[in-house]
Amino acid sequence: MYVNGISAGKKLTPSYRWDISKLCREGDNTILVEVANTPARDARKAFSPFGPEREVMEPAGMFGTIELLIK
Amino acid sequence: MADLKKILAGEGENYILPFLWLRDQSEEVLRTEMEKIAGCGIRAVCLESRPHPDFGGPGWWHDFDIVLDEAKKRGMKIWILDDAHFPTGQANGLIPAKYPERARKYAMMQYTDCVGPVVCASLDISLMMTKQFTWMDFGKPSNKPLIDKQELISVTAARLIEGDVIDSEILDLTDKVKDGWLIWDIPEGVWRICISFTTYDFGSNNEYINYVDQASVAALIEAVYEPHYDHYGDEFGKTIAGFFSDEPGFYNVGGYQPGNAIGRRKMPLPWGDELETLMERKNPGWKQKFPYLWLDGSDRGVVLENRYRYMDLVSQMYSKNFSCQLGEWCSAHGVEYIGHVIEDFDEHSRLGMGSGHYFRAMKGQHMAGIDDIGGQIIPGNPYGMRHGVTSDSQGQFYHFALAKMGASAAAVDPAKQGRLMCEAYGAYGWNFGVKSMKWLTDFLLFQGVNYLVPHAFSMADYPDMDCPPHFYARGNHPQYPYFAELMKYTNRMCNLLNGGRNVPQVALLYPGEHDWMNECMKLQAPAQQLIQRQIDFEIIPLDVFDDREYYGVQMEDGILTVNGRTMKAIVVPQTSYIEAKEAAVLREAREARVPVIFVNSIPEEIIGSSEEKLEGVHVAALFDLADFIHGLGIYDLKVEGKAENLLTYHYSREQEIYCFFNTDLSKTVDVEATIPVPGDMAEYDALDNCLYPAVCRDGKVKVKLAPYESKILLVGNLDGFVKEPAPADVNTCAGAEEPDFTVWDISKGWNVSKAAAVQYPDFPEAEQMDTLIPISAVSPEFSGVMRYEKTVSLPGISQCIFRPEYVYGRRNCM
């Protein structure tokens, strides 16, 4: 996660919450989030004991209600 | 203190040695892969030769030179997986090439039933020592072993009672065999004639080394260890750290089918000349009683005693001639010896793919070792059946016994210095991402793993479908940068959890010897009860009582001490039979006022002794075990209420370290824990590598953890390390109820773009999405990085928290 071009840190697991107080300023702020998924969807092409993936796969990316909590 | 200072300064040691699969890659690819491994803060590799076309040949040394060059440049160590292919044992083909006489040897028994009386009956004993040709063999090539030689152990006869149960009165007919024929006047009744013999046939992989034979194992040293020393002796103990044995075991039967318990599966048995000498010395009359290794008898005690004696000796021979011989060679050459056996399917005390006795198999190693591969430990799913590539097994063993067994081997044997290595992540599939790896890593760390072997870095063209995931995947793994963060975290945690000791409350007796004699309660049943109630334990093998000075064993004033770990009770998993040695140890424990707790029931019989009695012992039902132990006043960390999915770990060194981990994937843990030692307290964030003041009132701390979350508390002298002020708890679930915030919904109107890992960070032009939906809904075959960008105009604020509802498929802690 980046705010105004500065990293707010990586998260490897939930909970996906970032305190970005120190990176925000009054006025316009650019919020940028990058989400990386696994190769499981892309690597489905090959046949082997390990593919294509027969497990449930999680959806990719960020979605739902996106919020800022401010005070 | 010195260590903590180094860890916080980012100058900690390395505890990670991933498998690096050498193959026919170019020099450039190899050098890049080493750079990427180093980029994870990892400063060692364990070279695996399986995909390499020329192990031990010029091509191998060529590639090894490149790895060595990179390792020296980057301050990395090299470990060497010690054979051309797992399981360790083919000695890179040296047995058939040079030492066929050292081929794997077996003991076998075949029988024929007959009904007397018959005078001058004859039986072709030579034929009875060969394999029966069956209908299934038609049309198949006949595979002869390297040595086609059988030697008779005994010919015996006993009345057949029913099924496979013979009478305890055994007639020795060996002397009646002349020129390969038995001539015998069969008395009236039904008889079973048993022919016991040694052979190089019947078992699997006869061309591999014989693990119980010193000279045979020496062929592995000659084939693999010595050539590496000849090439790189100067680097031994410097850049080259040691050798790694992968999945050695008896393999008297091939494949990975479980259930290889002595007497409960009819199979050829591991055999060797030294083993035969010991059988003669330690088990007089063994030749006549040999059929009991396959058959039952009317005198159950004699049957079980014979099975016990055989397993005792064969596991000692494995320990001495395989594990210890390799370990001693490594010590003499300035390096360490590590690896793991197959513990799966409860085979850690069995034959087949097992090695007879887990703790004995680990004896020669400088670290204890385990492996977790192919979905054995599954986040949030401890009870489901694992339907693996080879066979099925229960999740309970992997979740509650595997790591504790390894950790106990590391704890009780002074030579291991408390070090437990775990091979992990391998063959879980590409779907197993860093989020799951982090869960698994915490799960292993907080049960005692403190060296990690990530499986694997493969340099094959992407996607390499051989046992993925592969962490860099020639630049194709979108989560590689996150994997790097996980490895840095893991190194810090391993550093913190090395050099001290865990704090067990009770001893759980290793039930390997029970398993030699009967179907008994598995380790994982009581282990689960203890782990889920936050009672730490050491799994104690009986062997420690045989060499008390070495293992630092004492029993007095209600305390059992093993290698500095003090335990306040001995828990014995349920079994119908125990052997005399165990009974004597338990009697001594009671005399020293150490409570002995049998789970569910007291054994029916003590094998090998009519003197020992089991008096004054406790019996606790399995599901009451934790309450029973607490009832004896045995506590370390006290957790208010029950929190089955809260995994805790207390590690003691310059500071006392308490780890808490919520293993549940859906429920939040919210309990209060009482820390039993006084002192300054701080919370360690190992991802950010910072120490913050912890909130503690009267020794009580609030443990509120969302799924995936863990918390590490340090207690003791922490002067100068703690950062003030602590950040608000908003980054974790504990802060989720923070009041006084205004909620701004910024769900609409994001600019979204996506890039495959090899393109990153070059993104194509973004598209605006009014409402965010999963990228997989529009691009189901996309793997890579998804970028979301938006400008938000804010008033003057004092605090701002970013909170998306979904990242991947689990609702965030809102």
Side-chain angles (χ1 to χ4, degrees), chain B residues 196-494:
Chain B
S196 303
F197 55 98
T198 64
T199 175
Y200 295 86
D201 208 347
F202 291 85
S204 81
N205 295 106
N206 164 255
E207 71 282 11
Y208 280 27
I209 60 165
N210 185 357
Y211 298 93
V212 299
D213 183 89
Q214 189 169 10
S216 191
V217 175
L220 173 66
I221 293 175
E222 182 179 331
V224 176
Y225 287 63
E226 284 173 352
H228 282 90
Y229 188 73
D230 290 345
H231 276 80
Y232 305 112
D234 290 350
E235 292 294 340
F236 271 49
K238 296 176 189 163
T239 310
I240 294 176
F243 288 87
F244 182 112
S245 280
D246 195 15
E247 301 188 352
F250 288 117
Y251 296 101
N252 48 311
V253 286
Y256 295 95
Q257 286 304 311
N260 300 295
I262 187 80
R264 308 206 282 281
R265 180 171 183 180
K266 292 183 171 55
M267 55 187 165
L269 303 178
W271 199 251
D273 295 345
E274 189 180 355
L275 175 60
E276 184 162 335
T277 306
L278 279 173
M279 287 286 277
E280 192 67 47
R281 195 186 310 156
K282 306 251 175 154
N283 193 15
W286 66 277
K287 289 183 176 180
Q288 290 68 42
K289 291 176 279 190
F290 212 54
Y292 287 146
L293 303 184
W294 291 267
L295 304 176
D296 285 326
S298 58
D299 186 342
R300 186 93 182 131
V302 176
V303 174
L304 299 186
E305 190 174 357
N306 272 276
R307 290 178 187 172
Y308 182 99
R309 297 277 167 261
Y310 171 77
M311 288 302 297
D312 189 29
L313 293 175
V314 81
S315 56
Q316 282 179 32
M317 287 295 92
Y318 179 98
S319 184
K320 170 180 172 287
N321 290 328
F322 182 76
S323 171
C324 290
Q325 186 178 185
L326 296 178
E328 283 159 18
W329 188 93
C330 285
S331 291
H333 292 78
V335 291
E336 292 195 306
Y337 172 57
I338 62 172
H340 70 86
V341 295
I342 291 190
E343 331 81 357
D344 318 2
F345 322 105
D346 301 309
E347 297 294 284
H348 51 83
S349 56
R350 295 180 177 175
L351 301 172
M353 68 189 119
S355 44
H357 186 292
Y358 176 76
F359 289 84
R360 291 180 183 180
M362 290 294 112
K363 185 80 167 70
Q365 293 192 187
H366 293 86
M367 300 181 198
I370 55 168
D371 74 325
D372 167 53
I373 58 158
Q376 292 174 331
I377 295 173
I378 302 178
N381 177 7
Y383 310 118
M385 183 67 100
R386 309 298 190 244
H387 298 287
V389 176
T390 56
S391 48
D392 299 343
S393 57
Q394 296 281 356
Q396 193 192 25
F397 168 75
Y398 306 106
H399 279 249
F400 301 112
L402 174 62
K404 290 303 295 181
M405 191 169 73
S408 299
V412 301
D413 181 358
K416 314 249 182 312
Q417 299 169 44
R419 298 177 299 170
L420 170 61
M421 175 281 299
C422 179
E423 178 192 324
Y425 315 140
Y428 267 76
W430 285 115
N431 205 23
F432 198 70
V434 168
K435 180 176 60 156
S436 300
M437 289 179 196
K438 168 68 164 57
W439 187 100
L440 176 57
T441 305
D442 280 350
F443 193 73
L444 293 168
L445 286 169
F446 303 152
Q447 293 192 57
V449 170
N450 53 13
Y451 275 77
L452 193 75
V453 177
H455 173 310
F457 278 91
S458 165
M459 293 176 280
D461 290 342
Y462 172 81
D464 182 359
M465 299 308 281
D466 183 353
C467 301
H470 304 292
F471 311 118
Y472 179 60
R474 301 279 293 276
N476 286 279
H477 202 313
Q479 296 185 336
Y480 164 76
Y482 301 86
F483 178 78
E485 293 302 313
L486 175 61
M487 291 299 100
K488 290 170 191 168
Y489 163 87
T490 304
N491 250 338
R492 289 179 205 119
M493 286 304 301
C494 287

Side-chain angles (χ1 to χ4, degrees), chain B residues 404 407-408 410-412 418 446-448 497 499-506 536-539 562-567 636 649-653 656-657:
Chain B
K404 290 303 295 181
S408 299
V412 301
F446 303 152
Q447 293 192 57
L497 299 175
R501 60 174 66 132
N502 69 322
V503 186
Q505 299 304 298
V506 297
D536 196 11
F537 55 95
E538 222 74 83
I539 297 164
V562 182
N563 193 28
R565 278 80 175 166
T566 53
M567 293 156 276
D636 179 24
Y649 187 51
H650 176 190
Y651 195 78
S652 180
R653 44 181 296 173
E656 301 299 315
I657 302 163

Side-chain angles (χ1 to χ4, degrees), chain B residues 574-652:
Chain B
Q574 187 176 18
T575 177
S576 296
Y577 305 94
I578 65 170
E579 204 266 346
K581 185 169 89 176
E582 179 176 338
V585 165
L586 297 178
R587 170 175 43 77
E588 198 187 330
R590 296 192 309 278
E591 287 164 4
R593 290 187 285 114
V594 180
V596 173
I597 307 166
F598 279 96
V599 182
N600 284 344
S601 64
I602 292 176
E604 294 165 18
E605 191 177 338
I606 297 167
I607 301 299
S609 169
S610 52
E611 312 289 309
E612 291 290 347
K613 298 274 183 293
L614 294 171
E615 289 165 348
V617 298
H618 302 280
V619 178
L622 178 63
F623 297 106
D624 289 333
L625 181 61
D627 283 336
F628 190 89
I629 290 167
H630 282 157
L632 294 174
I634 299 171
Y635 278 101
D636 179 24
L637 190 77
K638 249 184 191 170
V639 173
E640 299 299 327
K642 287 184 184 175
E644 285 187 351
N645 295 315
L646 174 65
L647 177 64
T648 62
Y649 187 51
H650 176 190
Y651 195 78
S652 180

